[in-house]
Amino acid sequence: TRHPRRCGLFVTDVMFLIHRLEREVPASSRPLKQMKALKRKCQEELHAMMKCQEDALLTSLQPCRPVATGSGSFLEAETALGAAAGLMKATCAALSSLPRPLLQEVTLHLLGSFCHALLAKLLHETEEPTESSAATRLQEFPVAMGARMVGVGNRLLETALARGANNDFREVLAGLKGSPSSKAEADSGGAPAATPHVPATLSADEISSAVTLLTSGQCMVRQSLQAAGLDILPEKVPSYRKLSLSTDLLGSDFIRFRERRKALQKVMSKEEVIRLMSLSFYDEALTPEDAWRMLNA
């Protein structure tokens, strides 16, 4: 089944059945071949459901472009982001019947795909996630998930979830730091012409829109964790720290980039940092390439 809730219930029931067989039936009398087939079936169903949900998530997120310009572009991006968030939260909530370790794994995988896709639209101008790249990320997923099914035990079968209803998920306020005051200012001045690989600096309005969208993306990740009943830090989500750092530094000057040097070197590649600087720097004496060399001096 491709429906998250039905798939979650199916996997949980089968794992519970296998658990009872392993505990109550002597080893010499267990239907080992059938048990192995059931484990494989669970793995295949969960993988197919996750691929279906991830494809739907990436499709709904496609119109969301944080650095897009033009009339109505922000509204279109905001609508697409809201649609993707609704799908993501619904899927996480529907999978809450899974045993907690497995629930955490599939939830982090789905949210990581969301963060990766959103970041790609900001930091990789021509390298947005495709169906092939999504399939590549999913190739490693069944291996780890299958290992948990082989090791079925009491702790894995605990389905009571700590809902964390009292957690206070605070909204992150978007701010502008060292950005131009208007589109006209960004287009003026004697700055060197950008190379084909270096994007033009964003205006204040464009930075404000992009920061708002990226901040909303972070909030949606935290809300999805809450919907799944997982009381874990969002920093455990793949690419979340990179998303948070990009949101914080977008529109900043070199001084703020230098202050976050260690974090940048830890979570972002050279190309991503230069791209972020290119979008952010306004009236800086340094080019993004020179700034990168100074950060690593």
Side-chain angles (χ1 to χ4, degrees):
T1 177
R2 302 298 184 266
H3 191 278
R5 179 167 177 78
R6 287 198 292 266
C7 181
L9 291 173
F10 169 77
V11 171
T12 301
D13 290 345
V14 171
M15 291 175 67
F16 179 75
L17 174 62
I18 294 173
H19 171 69
R20 294 295 297 270
L21 290 172
E22 290 179 339
R23 285 178 60 89
E24 299 178 7
V25 178
S28 58
S29 303
R30 292 174 189 167
L32 298 179
K33 184 179 295 185
Q34 289 79 4
M35 291 169 63
K36 184 177 180 180
L38 282 174
K39 292 176 183 178
R40 188 184 307 111
K41 180 64 174 176
C42 284
Q43 180 177 338
E44 292 172 352
E45 288 294 325
L46 193 55
H47 175 261
M49 184 276 298
M50 286 296 295
K51 185 178 186 307
C52 180
Q53 294 302 310
E54 185 174 13
D55 288 345
L57 176 63
L58 296 181
T59 299
S60 62
L61 194 61
Q62 188 65 30
C64 179
R65 299 183 180 276
V67 295
T69 58
S71 177
S73 58
F74 175 75
L75 180 59
E76 182 182 8
E78 190 177 37
T79 302
L81 186 63
L87 176 62
M88 190 167 60
K89 288 190 286 186
T91 300
C92 292
L95 290 172
S96 60
S97 61
L98 286 173
R100 188 176 182 83
L102 191 55
L103 171 65
Q104 178 170 323
E105 182 176 342
V106 297
T107 300
L108 292 182
H109 177 85
L110 184 65
L111 298 184
S113 296
F114 170 80
C115 291
H116 178 81
L118 192 57
L119 270 172
K121 295 173 178 294
L122 177 73
L123 301 178
H124 303 278
E125 201 169 16
T126 60
E127 298 180 10
E128 292 188 14
T130 61
E131 184 175 347
S132 59
S133 65
T136 301
R137 292 197 304 275
L138 275 167
Q139 286 176 356
E140 300 179 357
F141 173 70
V143 178
M145 185 268 291
R148 283 160 174 72
M149 292 192 174
V150 173
V152 175
N154 285 329
R155 190 168 67 89
L156 185 60
L157 289 169
E158 293 176 356
T159 56
L161 301 174
R163 294 291 173 181
N166 294 327
N167 288 344
D168 180 20
F169 292 104
R170 298 181 179 179
E171 301 291 328
V172 180
L173 297 179
L176 300 179
K177 301 165 287 291
S179 61
S181 60
S182 68
K183 177 69 175 177
E185 288 184 61
D187 293 335
S188 63
T195 66
H197 300 287
V198 181
T201 303
L202 299 179
S203 70
D205 290 340
E206 290 168 342
I207 289 176
S208 178
S209 298
V211 169
T212 299
L213 291 172
L214 297 176
T215 301
S216 297
Q218 294 178 71
C219 295
M220 291 166 185
V221 169
R222 297 195 295 271
Q223 291 167 7
S224 295
L225 289 172
Q226 188 178 29
L230 293 173
D231 188 16
I232 60 177
L233 295 175
E235 285 74 17
K236 290 188 176 182
V237 175
S239 296
Y240 180 87
R241 293 182 63 187
K242 188 185 297 186
L243 176 62
S244 177
L245 186 60
S246 299
T247 306
D248 180 49
L249 289 178
L250 183 61
S252 298
D253 54 16
F254 175 69
I255 294 177
R256 291 207 71 249
F257 275 89
R258 188 173 58 187
E259 291 172 353
R260 305 299 303 275
R261 178 173 62 89
K262 291 184 178 180
L264 285 168
Q265 293 173 335
K266 186 174 182 179
V267 304
M268 299 180 73
S269 67
K270 171 185 175 181
E271 292 74 17
E272 290 170 337
V273 175
I274 290 178
R275 162 78 173 172
L276 188 59
M277 288 177 173
S278 301
L279 294 171
S280 304
F281 282 0
Y282 174 74
D283 199 23
E284 288 284 345
L286 294 172
T287 65
E289 290 78 8
D290 291 339
W292 168 258
R293 284 192 286 270
M294 289 189 65
L295 286 178
N296 289 273

